[in-house]
Amino acid sequence: LFGLSLPESIANPPGEGGTVNVPAAFLVLAVTAVLMIGVRETARTNTIMVAIKLIVLALFIVLGITAFTADNFEPFFVEGEGFAGTVTAASLIFFAYIGFDAVSTSGEEVKEPARDLPRAIIGSLAIATTLYIIVATVATGALPFDQLEGAEAPLATVLDEGAGISWGADVISFGALVAITSVVLTLLYGQSRILFAMSRDGLLPRRVSHVNPRTRTPVFIIGVLGIVFAALAAVVPLTEIVELVNIGTLFAFVVVNIGVIILRRTRPDLERGYRVPFVPVFPLIGTALCIYLMVDLPGTTWVRFLVWMALGLLIYFAYGMRHSRLRQGEVRNPDAELDR
């Protein structure tokens, strides 16, 4: 955008021509600082970034549709792969939907979770899915999909090469940077709240759930996660991270879906911020769809996932199981208590 460039050694991760990805690490640390300041400030920052994203996507649709041609949809499926190729692609791009799961982790920081959380999740899911479909249709209609393969910035490429609007491509590139930043913010926020709840129950050391009295945020968790995520972003290629994140998230969704069915029957006394309707129908459908997508992920991804799962189980049986307050009967619902 500004005619500046960094050496590949500090702009790309190992395996992609670089040694340490400095911009990626800097972005994660900057987001970490915002999250530490406070929830209200984080929400305002995220709202601004989301507004920019929506405006940029709307601009892409308006400009990209000027080069739209239905001939680019022939063939509709990649030859030799058919619908199976589409399913594989869906399982690899599933990480784009993780943000909706992160919304549910904000239950304790919402005034009326029973009303607001379902609206937020379903509403944002509907809007984002509609935009995904429209953007994908316009992009493929403006430039054949085989010309997008391998492009570092596909939407910018569509406007630059397909529509011949170079200034629009620059705007899209800026929007992509904002989008990446907001995603990092959302996921780091969600992960910090998950570890906060685990710590309060005793699955992790209690110190982890300490809340700063001034910012009202779990600064210790956020800081540790920020450093770990920044290190991963700096030295691990994105493709490997994405594959591992996808299968981990899909499996987590399977566990949550099944957990809803089990806990509805075994622990009806637990305090719930909001209730899932049509149980067990919805959870069973969710479980089946997640397993369907998991099956299409590469074998190496499954190996990494099993190793990562084994590490998690080791931590649970070595520490968490013996310290869980809920399991020991000290509390009926750790999440219903205020942090002391």
Side-chain angles (χ1 to χ4, degrees):
L1 290 176
F2 306 104
L4 303 174
S5 61
L6 294 173
E8 288 191 1
S9 60
I10 62 171
N12 295 330
E16 296 181 13
T19 304
V20 178
N21 193 331
V22 175
F26 174 79
L27 185 148
V28 173
L29 293 176
V31 168
T32 301
V34 173
L35 285 168
M36 285 181 169
I37 294 174
V39 176
R40 188 165 295 163
E41 292 76 11
T42 298
R44 289 172 181 167
T45 303
N46 194 50
T47 299
I48 293 171
M49 290 192 290
V50 170
I52 293 173
K53 285 196 295 184
L54 292 176
I55 292 171
V56 170
L57 285 175
L59 177 66
F60 171 81
I61 293 170
V62 171
L63 297 178
I65 205 167
T66 60
F68 185 92
T69 172
D71 294 339
N72 289 342
F73 292 95
E74 294 290 339
F76 192 76
F77 293 114
V78 178
E79 286 187 41
E81 295 188 14
F83 184 70
T86 302
V87 174
T88 301
S91 64
L92 290 174
I93 202 65
F94 188 80
F95 72 92
Y97 275 77
I98 300 176
F100 303 108
D101 173 49
V103 174
S104 64
T105 65
S106 63
E108 293 184 70
E109 293 161 287
V110 176
K111 291 183 179 180
E112 296 186 47
R115 181 197 68 184
D116 296 338
L117 280 184
R119 289 181 180 179
I121 295 173
I122 297 173
S124 59
L125 188 61
I127 294 170
T129 301
T130 301
L131 280 173
Y132 279 147
I133 294 172
I134 295 174
V135 168
T137 302
V138 171
T140 310
L143 195 66
F145 74 90
D146 55 355
Q147 296 184 35
L148 290 172
E149 188 175 359
E152 291 186 359
L155 298 188
T157 301
V158 167
L159 292 186
D160 192 18
E161 299 181 9
I165 306 175
S166 57
W167 65 267
D170 291 339
V171 174
I172 293 298
S173 296
F174 171 73
L177 179 60
V178 174
I180 291 171
T181 305
S182 69
V183 170
V184 173
L185 184 146
T186 302
L187 299 187
L188 189 54
Y189 169 86
Q191 185 62 56
S192 67
R193 269 45 179 187
I194 290 172
L195 293 182
F196 175 80
M198 292 173 64
S199 168
R200 193 165 48 186
D201 178 43
L203 295 173
L204 294 173
R206 289 277 290 169
R207 167 172 170 70
V208 176
S209 61
H210 172 71
V211 174
N212 185 289
R214 185 176 62 84
T215 64
R216 304 290 296 170
T217 57
V219 291
F220 179 80
I221 298 178
I222 296 172
V224 172
L225 284 176
I227 293 172
V228 172
F229 286 5
L232 289 172
V235 300
V236 181
L238 180 61
T239 51
E240 295 184 18
I241 295 176
V242 166
E243 289 181 359
L244 187 58
V245 167
N246 282 336
I247 192 168
T249 304
L250 284 165
F251 182 75
F253 284 3
V254 169
V255 172
V256 169
N257 276 286
I258 295 175
V260 167
I261 299 174
I262 295 175
L263 290 175
R264 186 68 63 86
R265 293 180 177 274
T266 61
R267 296 301 303 273
D269 58 308
L270 289 179
E271 181 178 337
R272 291 166 167 85
Y274 60 97
R275 291 172 66 89
V276 177
F278 303 110
V279 175
V281 178
F282 276 5
L284 289 175
I285 293 174
T287 300
L289 290 175
C290 288
I291 293 175
Y292 180 59
L293 290 176
M294 289 174 69
V295 170
D296 276 288
L297 288 168
T300 53
T301 301
W302 276 93
V303 172
R304 292 169 183 161
F305 166 68
L306 293 174
V307 171
W308 192 251
M309 177 62 68
L311 177 60
L313 290 173
L314 178 63
I315 294 174
Y316 173 72
F317 286 112
Y319 182 90
M321 186 174 68
R322 293 183 292 107
H323 292 83
S324 172
R325 301 169 66 205
L326 181 63
R327 189 173 187 275
Q328 294 172 3
E330 293 182 19
V331 292
R332 290 166 60 88
N333 183 9
D335 286 339
E337 291 191 346
L338 294 175
D339 183 64
R340 293 185 176 88

